Amino acid sequence: MEERYDPKKIEPKWQAHWAEKNLFRAAKDASKKKFYCLEMFPYPSGRIHMGHVRNYAIGDVIARYKRMRGFNVLHPMGWDAFGLPAENAAIKHGVHPSKWTYENISYMKGQLNKLGLSYDWDREVATCNPDYYKWNQWFFLRMYEKGLAYRKSSYVNWCPSCATVLANEQVIDLKCWRCDSVVVQKQLDQWFLKITHYAEELLQACDHLTGWPEKVVTMQKNWIGKSYGLEADFAVEGTGDVIRIYTTRADTLFGATFVCLSPPHPLSSKLAGDKAELEKVTALYGKAEEKVGLFTGRYCINPVNGERLPVYIANFVLMEYGTGAIMSVPAHDQRDFEFAQKYGLAVRRVIMPEGATSPDAEVPQEAYEDDGILINSGLYTGLKSSEARERISAGMEAKGKGKRKVNFKLRDWGISRQRYWGTPIPVIYCSACGIVPVPDKDLPVILPEDVRFTGKGGSPLAESSSFVNVICPKCSGPARRETDTMDTFVDSSWYFIAYCQGKGNVRFDGGPLPVPDPDYWMPVDQYIGGVEHAVLHLLYSRFFTRVVRDLGIISHGEPFTNLLTQGMVIKDGAKMSKSKGNVVDPDYLINRYGSDTSRLFSLFAAPPEKDLDWSDKGVEGAYRFLSRIWSLVYRNQDALKQSSSAGVSDASGLSDEGRALARKAHQTIKKVTLDIEREYHFNTAIAALMELVNEMNGFSPKDAVDANVLRFSVETTLLLLSPFTPHIAEELWSALGNQPGIFAQTWPLWSDGLAQEEEIELVVQINGKVRARLMVPAGLPDDELKALALNDKKTVEFIGGKAVKKVIVVQGRLVNIVA
């Protein structure tokens, strides 16, 4: 054994050993309980970053721990390999996206292996592999057959910089989720997946996601956005047209002073007199920060009171929600208020806060949006908002002027992208036959190689005549392929199911997805990833899993039983990023300190769900801790090899010091085990291990029995440490003379008897104030603790002869006397 800890020597050695023995390969074993541990797979951008290190270290601790607890663990890894950066690299550097992607995968896989991660690489997938993306196409065709995939012309979110369509979930604060460019609206023919078909089920199932963070479940519920409201018809004067609106605030109907149409609404072009002005409003559609409107010159009738309301076309009204038309109540909706202020429209209060004796006579400076008491509302004046909503809705229904309706904020998922590096949509267009799905036997539709990458708008696939021009499968006449590709979120919406089939990218044989025993592994028991995926990826995955279930491939509807959303890595007060110049290169860290140190720091510096503040001193501290463990074993190696931990089953024959160390070891087993089991508090588990190492460093065996205690404590430390820092644990385990393979060992169990303190500190309070502290034998019954507290000299002095009203014992460590 070398005197100094040298991770550069030991880490490659053990990584090679694990790979040679294929120790992390998973296979069905009915005799064991399964545990499917999965971190969100990375985009192969070229290099891993510290966020990856933290994410994958968390997952690896869980996977290794569960193996040692006797579970049959599936812990796979793959690559979310389609995406815009590869195409941009092709434009910038003239490198084909495939070459760029696979080179990055090769490099990043090497980086992950250097971290000592326990992945079953036999199950590796890359979503850009035709053997994988043919299944995207197969799922699409099954959804098309069931009416869950359809094509329509619609206004879509268009990123001018990326030159592609974005789903609603990919627009954040009116900007592109990827490049932060302002998103505009554009009308295109698009393919959609009918996620709304599952809206109610997705919402109801949120209440059963008990292993998910509450904030993520709330975000899912809010995005699905179920609402109860009223549809009402506003007849347009002088025409036979009717404007149907949807509102969740029927209690404000009397406050409507105008009506707004969305620019794409079918009536907008019909009612607008000035088409040039309509085009200007349409160009700003969806840009709510700048509210722009056009008065059509038309009026409609409010069905609740017969009032004439001017009809506007407004850029902030979205066609995708409700009916694409709104009644505008500026006194009680801030968007409407700002629009009314800009265009000089009336503001009428119809709600006042509960408890107010009269409405404010002042002109409002902002909308009052809360519930309250109705005013200026005819027969409904004086009612509370909740009651008024119900009675007004019922009255409208009774008169045939409206109907109550349930709505969802969730929109169908637009998957068409005007990009090359994605899954080709398996559809053919024939002038005679219309839309023709590609037959299963012709899958996969493979991306062509003869494509030029210019960065101009439109799909690069349209430039490949060999790809576009085909024979119609139905009539054998000339036809053309769809040239859009699928949103890359399709790739990541089912990859966790693909891992279950056991041999990497699944091969296509024309039949259903070949996933042997999917219900043995599914659902994922522990999923780990960033909270930034709380809506996009997680919602799509929940939808896709239900589709796969309804195809009869799996029986589970929910993909992930437990979800851990790890915090970000922060340096210099900001998230690590190249643009901020605060990135720490994992390669540098591994080369200087070793991967065990990198893992240990990322796990010790903060609980997994919290942001981690980067600290160079913290990294050095982690390295020093591992060096101390190494030195401890090196100094005592002869005595340790000659001793045995098997004999330390009770405290008999131990010196006081030996008994104390054995007690500390058992307390540490208990602490580490419970901290891992309870919300994965790795930082406090590691802190407990550090305390045990400190105790061992101060321990000098007096005889062979004490030496056995030291060996037991060292082996316990290595076993408990092995999921966190596997390389040094393996090396020192072998240095003690054990057979290689610490992960073949079972997780240590603690003895409550040996872990119990011989004495405890008993705190005595009198009327809530601490008055005495006593050292008493551990495990005394409450009556004896009360007697000791009441008879203590200090207690007697403080009570001073007063009558004792009550004595309360709290958890055997505190006595509270009320006198």
Side-chain angles (χ1 to χ4, degrees):
M1 180 182 178
E2 300 280 345
E3 181 178 359
R4 289 186 170 277
Y5 170 50
D6 186 355
K8 288 183 180 179
K9 285 186 178 179
I10 67 170
E11 290 182 352
K13 165 187 167 183
W14 287 108
Q15 289 159 14
H17 173 78
W18 299 329
E20 180 187 344
K21 301 291 184 183
N22 207 2
L23 293 181
F24 309 125
R25 183 177 183 181
K28 180 182 176 181
D29 184 346
S31 68
K32 290 184 176 182
K33 188 175 180 180
K34 69 92 180 179
F35 190 88
Y36 187 174
C37 181
L38 183 63
E39 303 97 67
M40 294 180 185
F41 63 171
Y43 178 77
S45 58
R47 300 288 186 274
I48 64 169
H49 52 68
M50 287 309 301
H52 288 129
V53 173
R54 188 184 191 201
N55 186 10
Y56 303 147
I58 290 169
D60 201 51
V61 171
I62 296 169
R64 289 177 179 271
Y65 168 76
K66 289 293 184 179
R67 274 193 194 94
M68 295 177 75
R69 293 303 302 263
F71 286 84
N72 187 23
V73 174
L74 173 59
H75 188 211
M77 179 49 69
W79 310 96
D80 192 7
F82 273 141
L84 197 57
E87 209 161 324
N88 289 340
I91 295 166
K92 186 175 181 180
H93 304 297
V95 179
H96 193 276
S98 178
K99 184 175 187 295
W100 185 86
T101 300
Y102 280 108
E103 285 178 352
N104 288 349
I105 287 174
S106 177
Y107 188 86
M108 290 176 69
K109 186 174 180 179
Q111 289 184 298
L112 296 184
N113 282 328
K114 283 182 180 178
L115 284 168
L117 302 168
S118 59
Y119 292 134
D120 179 357
W121 285 111
D122 286 352
R123 296 173 185 262
E124 179 183 13
V125 300
T127 60
C128 64
N129 188 314
D131 284 337
Y132 183 92
Y133 69 69
K134 68 184 161 235
W135 292 102
N136 291 343
Q137 297 169 347
W138 189 85
F139 285 131
F140 176 91
L141 294 174
R142 301 294 81 78
M143 285 190 257
Y144 180 74
E145 291 167 357
K146 292 176 174 290
L148 296 176
Y150 64 92
R151 189 173 187 247
K152 72 172 183 177
S153 178
S154 71
Y155 278 87
V156 294
N157 305 306
W158 179 263
C159 174
S161 175
C162 297
T164 193
V165 171
L166 303 176
N168 290 337
E169 294 86 348
Q170 293 167 320
V171 180
I172 301 171
D173 297 330
L174 303 176
K175 294 181 179 179
C176 173
W177 72 288
R178 188 184 294 279
C179 71
D180 262 357
S181 297
V182 175
V183 173
V184 298
Q185 296 296 306
K186 189 173 182 178
Q187 192 165 19
L188 293 172
D189 288 334
Q190 298 286 292
W191 282 96
F192 291 83
L193 299 183
K194 201 170 185 179
I195 190 173
T196 54
H197 178 75
Y198 292 93
E200 184 67 37
E201 184 184 347
L202 287 166
L203 179 65
Q204 294 299 324
C206 284
D207 292 333
H208 302 290
L209 299 176
T210 54
W212 288 35
E214 186 177 342
K215 65 178 179 180
V216 175
V217 175
T218 299
M219 291 167 77
Q220 292 260 315
K221 287 181 175 180
N222 290 343
W223 191 264
I224 297 167
K226 186 177 184 179
S227 63
Y228 299 87
L230 174 74
E231 278 190 349
D233 291 339
F234 289 63
V236 181
E237 279 187 343
T239 73
D241 296 318
V242 170
I243 298 172
R244 178 163 292 177
I245 65 94
Y246 172 79
T247 179
T248 59
R249 294 296 304 269
D251 55 324
T252 67
L253 262 166
F254 285 86
T257 59
F258 57 100
V259 165
C260 288
L261 299 172
S262 175
H265 193 287
L267 287 178
S268 292
S269 59
K270 183 176 180 180
L271 299 181
D274 191 332
K275 304 303 182 187
E277 288 300 313
L278 175 59
E279 286 185 12
K280 291 180 182 178
V281 176
T282 302
L284 296 170
Y285 174 49
K287 294 184 179 179
E289 76 276 8
E290 181 186 0
K291 293 176 178 60
V292 177
L294 169 66
F295 177 45
T296 63
R298 299 281 187 171
Y299 290 82
C300 63
I301 305 303
N302 187 335
V304 79
N305 58 9
E307 185 177 3
R308 295 174 77 236
L309 305 179
V311 179
Y312 278 76
I313 299 167
N315 71 320
F316 67 89
V317 181
L318 300 178
M319 193 66 209
E320 289 76 23
Y321 184 69
T323 65
I326 63 170
M327 66 168 197
S328 295
V329 186
H332 304 294
D333 183 282
Q334 189 61 28
R335 294 178 314 162
D336 296 345
F337 179 82
E338 293 167 4
F339 190 88
Q341 293 290 96
K342 181 173 181 177
Y343 290 99
L345 298 165
V347 179
R348 182 189 306 131
R349 288 193 186 92
V350 292
I351 306 283
M352 69 176 183
E354 286 194 50
T357 55
S358 62
D360 191 346
E362 297 275 332
V363 176
Q365 299 303 305
E366 62 181 3
Y368 174 74
E369 296 183 316
D370 293 337
D371 280 2
I373 304 298
L374 268 67
I375 58 176
N376 302 323
S377 299
L379 295 173
Y380 306 101
T381 296
L383 295 179
K384 290 184 177 181
S385 287
S386 56
E387 183 182 357
R389 280 193 287 272
E390 190 60 34
R391 289 181 57 178
I392 290 172
S393 297
M396 294 282 283
E397 277 190 325
K399 294 175 182 177
K401 295 181 177 181
K403 63 177 181 179
R404 281 173 279 204
K405 187 175 181 183
V406 174
N407 241 336
F408 290 92
K409 177 184 167 187
L410 180 67
R411 302 292 88 189
D412 283 339
W413 177 11
I415 64 164
S416 296
R417 298 293 180 269
Q418 292 66 47
R419 284 295 172 193
Y420 168 81
W421 197 233
T423 300
I425 296 174
V427 166
I428 291 169
Y429 302 105
C430 174
S431 58
C433 305
I435 295 174
V436 181
V438 173
D440 283 2
K441 67 181 180 60
D442 294 336
L443 297 181
V445 177
I446 295 178
L447 289 169
E449 296 288 328
D450 59 336
V451 172
R452 290 172 58 250
F453 300 97
T454 64
K456 308 287 182 174
S459 173
L461 290 178
E463 303 298 317
S464 172
S465 59
S466 63
F467 177 82
V468 173
N469 299 316
V470 292
I471 300 299
C472 174
K474 268 191 173 181
C475 70
S476 299
R480 60 182 180 85
R481 287 195 191 279
E482 170 65 71
T483 58
D484 285 351
T485 54
M486 295 185 196
D487 182 2
T488 55
F489 276 100
V490 172
D491 310 331
S492 58
S493 293
W494 67 279
Y495 77 106
F496 41 88
I497 299 172
Y499 283 141
C500 296
Q501 60 82 40
K503 41 181 190 290
N505 290 299
V506 289
R507 302 236 166 240
F508 187 75
D509 60 5
L513 184 69
V515 182
D517 306 310
D519 287 328
Y520 175 76
W521 292 116
M522 286 293 293
V524 175
D525 295 283
Q526 183 64 63
Y527 200 38
I528 305 154
V531 74
E532 66 271 18
H533 299 292
V535 172
L536 286 168
H537 164 59
L538 293 174
L539 186 62
Y540 293 154
S541 295
R542 296 181 65 217
F543 160 60
F544 237 84
T545 302
R546 283 163 170 79
V547 172
V548 178
R549 175 201 65 193
D550 291 347
L551 290 172
I553 296 170
I554 59 175
S555 61
H556 298 281
E558 284 295 339
F560 314 120
T561 303
N562 296 291
L563 173 69
L564 191 161
T565 53
Q566 90 279 357
M568 297 184 295
V569 180
I570 307 293
K571 188 172 186 285
D572 304 329
K575 179 183 176 181
M576 281 190 181
S577 70
K578 291 179 181 178
S579 61
K580 293 184 175 69
N582 63 349
V583 170
V584 174
D585 182 6
D587 281 348
Y588 163 79
L589 208 62
I590 292 169
N591 290 335
R592 180 165 182 180
Y593 296 104
S595 66
D596 279 345
T597 294
S598 306
R599 291 167 59 118
L600 188 69
F601 169 75
S602 69
L603 296 164
F604 177 61
E609 73 278 6
K610 302 293 185 184
D611 289 347
L612 183 156
D613 282 316
W614 182 263
S615 165
D616 292 335
K617 289 183 178 178
V619 176
E620 291 166 2
Y623 181 77
R624 285 196 302 272
F625 169 65
L626 295 180
S627 296
R628 283 201 301 274
I629 297 173
W630 184 275
S631 296
L632 172 69
V633 175
Y634 178 79
R635 289 195 317 271
N636 295 281
Q637 58 180 310
D638 292 337
L640 290 170
K641 286 178 181 177
Q642 294 169 13
S643 57
S644 169
S645 60
V648 188
S649 56
D650 56 50
S652 60
L654 298 181
S655 65
D656 290 345
E657 293 82 358
R659 190 178 300 110
L661 182 57
R663 180 166 55 247
K664 186 65 174 179
H666 280 275
Q667 289 173 346
T668 305
I669 296 170
K670 182 177 182 179
K671 172 69 173 168
V672 172
T673 304
L674 295 181
D675 281 351
I676 293 176
E677 292 285 352
R678 296 172 184 170
E679 300 182 345
Y680 302 131
H681 283 175
F682 304 137
N683 56 323
T684 52
I686 293 168
L689 283 164
M690 290 177 172
E691 290 181 14
L692 177 57
V693 170
N694 287 340
E695 292 245 357
M696 288 190 293
N697 271 318
F699 179 73
S700 298
K702 291 184 167 55
D703 52 31
V705 178
D706 273 1
N708 288 343
V709 173
L710 180 60
R711 177 165 181 133
F712 169 76
S713 301
V714 169
E715 287 190 342
T716 294
T717 299
L718 297 178
L719 289 165
L720 298 178
L721 196 61
S722 62
F724 303 96
T725 57
H727 307 87
I728 191 172
E730 284 275 29
E731 182 70 17
L732 294 180
W733 182 260
S734 297
L736 292 177
N738 295 310
Q739 287 295 315
I742 195 169
F743 298 104
Q745 306 303 310
T746 57
W747 188 257
L749 301 175
W750 73 87
S751 160
D752 283 324
L754 287 173
Q756 186 174 350
E757 294 284 355
E758 294 182 351
E759 284 191 323
I760 62 166
E761 182 183 65
L762 181 67
V763 177
V764 181
Q765 291 182 341
I766 301 174
N767 297 328
K769 293 185 177 180
V770 176
R771 297 303 189 186
R773 296 178 186 274
L774 313 176
M775 295 306 297
V776 302
L780 290 179
D782 287 358
D783 287 346
E784 291 189 36
L785 294 175
K786 288 179 183 179
L788 287 169
L790 288 169
N791 292 322
D792 179 69
K793 183 179 179 181
K794 289 184 180 179
T795 303
V796 173
E797 289 176 1
F798 276 109
I799 292 176
K802 295 178 186 176
V804 174
K805 299 175 183 177
K806 188 185 293 185
V807 181
I808 304 166
V809 178
V810 181
Q811 295 181 342
R813 290 182 175 272
L814 183 147
V815 176
N816 188 19
I817 300 168
V818 182

